[in-house]
Amino acid sequence: MKNSNPPVEWQQGFARSTTTGLNMAWESAGPTDGETILLVAGLGCQLTMWNDDFCKPLLERGYRLMRFDNRDIGLTDQHPTNMKVNVPATFLRNKLGLRTPTNYKLDTMADDAIGLIDALGLQRPHLLGISMGGMISQIVAAKAPEKVGKLVTLMSSTNHPKLPMPTPNVLHNMFLKKPKSTQIEDVVEHVERVFTAIGSPGFPPDPIKLRERARLSYNRAYKPAGVLRQTHCVVATGSIEEYTKAIKVPTCVIHGLDDPLLKKACSERIAKLVPNSRLHLIKGLGHDLPEPLAPTFAEIIHSHFAT
């Protein structure tokens, strides 16, 4: 019997960022002559976080999607140095307004993305960044507005230390409770626990699908040291509001009313600082990409990019 819901066919490749020299893994799908959306992933997430359920409604609207692994994650190069980091201590320093040395900052990750746009010859792609990827996208839009079309941030933030904290349950499961080992089933169990904690109360994740995706990610590339460096990067960077205030490209801000990791005030702050931006708050949405909301996401994103 013919599969009525075939998987998205992704073209795969590598490109060296023209700005940082990083060798970056990318995948593309959709018509080569369609408007391009560059998908910027969140903290610790590989390009596969942009799953088929989320991508199909955008592909059906004729967009070309480009997704990639940020530095230290997936098949993209790891950062060449490994300074010892202490995330809890850096978190406290950040809250006190103190700076902390780090392997790299979000600015560097934005430079990676700018160089990837050039390396792939993309003509003013739209940016769609989720969580940390939304922070990176804000910096890209501010630093290189001539290289991008429009911007959508999804459940993101300006990373200002005075914005609301995650819930205690999220802090415990994401940053304090570690996997029992680096074996696949222990890591999968940890991923399920984390995404259950940050997930959407109005659209609970399917545990079977969640675990399946966690296994696929583990088998593709497992880089816990890279996740730690990315986490430290976000905390040590601190506020990116100097970039947010400089954004001139048309901007749409999407956030969940029930996000336990980045509270809605985080995106409300983006919308306040970016002139003429559009803010969409979704009831029942946490900090994930629920399958039932894929058509809603696509409609909001398309309505922004198409006008």
Side-chain angles (χ1 to χ4, degrees):
M1 181 181 294
K2 185 178 180 181
N3 186 354
S4 60
N5 191 27
V8 174
E9 293 185 6
W10 294 94
Q11 178 186 355
Q12 302 174 341
F14 289 87
R16 194 167 294 279
S17 171
T18 61
T19 50
T20 61
L22 197 75
N23 196 35
M24 305 180 71
W26 59 267
E27 295 184 355
S28 69
T32 56
D33 60 349
E35 287 187 70
T36 300
I37 304 176
L38 186 66
L39 304 169
V40 190
L43 172 63
C45 293
Q46 300 181 50
L47 56 77
T48 49
M49 74 159 296
W50 302 106
N51 57 69
D52 284 8
D53 294 328
F54 178 88
C55 292
K56 281 180 178 178
L58 291 170
L59 291 168
E60 289 166 359
R61 285 167 169 80
Y63 290 104
R64 180 192 186 197
L65 303 183
M66 298 288 306
R67 59 185 189 177
F68 68 97
D69 288 325
N70 286 306
R71 67 170 52 212
D72 263 340
I73 291 296
L75 305 181
T76 286
D77 283 352
Q78 295 189 97
H79 187 73
T81 62
N82 190 21
M83 176 193 302
K84 289 186 178 180
V85 299
N86 185 323
V87 173
T90 302
F91 186 82
L92 291 175
R93 289 178 62 85
N94 185 34
K95 287 294 181 183
L96 294 171
L98 302 174
R99 296 188 179 276
T100 304
T102 183
N103 287 281
Y104 50 89
K105 292 187 176 183
L106 289 168
D107 310 60
T108 305
M109 300 183 78
D111 288 341
D112 291 338
I114 292 170
L116 182 64
I117 290 172
D118 288 339
L120 294 175
L122 305 181
Q123 300 300 311
R124 300 198 69 185
H126 301 307
L127 298 178
L128 172 54
I130 185 170
S131 195
M132 179 192 75
M135 300 178 204
I136 293 169
S137 297
Q138 290 174 65
I139 299 174
V140 172
K143 293 181 73 171
E146 75 284 356
K147 295 183 184 294
V148 303
K150 297 181 180 180
L151 168 66
V152 173
T153 65
L154 181 56
M155 57 194 77
S156 192
S157 175
T158 66
N159 209 32
H160 195 285
K162 291 186 178 180
L163 286 169
M165 296 262 294
T167 64
N169 181 52
V170 167
L171 287 172
H172 174 73
N173 282 289
M174 281 195 72
F175 304 116
L176 299 178
K177 193 172 180 64
K178 306 296 183 183
K180 296 175 184 176
S181 76
T182 59
Q183 298 299 308
I184 185 169
E185 288 307 319
D186 288 334
V187 173
V188 167
E189 179 186 10
H190 175 71
V191 171
E192 181 182 19
R193 183 170 60 246
V194 168
F195 276 87
T196 299
I198 67 175
S200 299
F203 309 91
D206 179 340
I208 295 176
K209 273 193 172 183
L210 204 161
R211 293 178 72 88
E212 179 184 0
R213 287 172 177 165
R215 288 191 184 92
L216 290 172
S217 293
Y218 182 98
N219 289 327
R220 182 174 182 266
Y222 178 56
K223 296 180 178 177
V227 175
L228 180 61
R229 285 193 293 269
Q230 280 195 358
T231 304
H232 191 257
C233 159
V234 173
V235 177
T237 297
S239 174
I240 62 165
E241 290 194 355
E242 63 180 292
Y243 292 114
T244 310
K245 293 174 183 177
I247 294 172
K248 297 294 189 293
V249 304
T251 299
C252 175
V253 180
I254 306 172
H255 209 98
L257 287 169
D258 299 283
D259 191 329
L261 177 59
L262 296 178
K263 304 296 181 64
K264 70 181 180 70
C266 296
S267 275
E268 289 174 333
R269 182 64 177 168
I270 300 172
K272 181 178 180 180
L273 294 180
V274 181
N276 303 313
S277 57
R278 304 176 180 182
L279 175 63
H280 296 267
L281 299 175
I282 301 177
K283 185 178 180 180
L285 175 62
H287 203 81
D288 59 354
L289 297 173
E291 182 178 346
L293 284 179
T296 301
F297 289 137
E299 183 55 38
I300 295 172
I301 292 164
H302 174 65
S303 66
H304 177 60
F305 290 156
T307 56

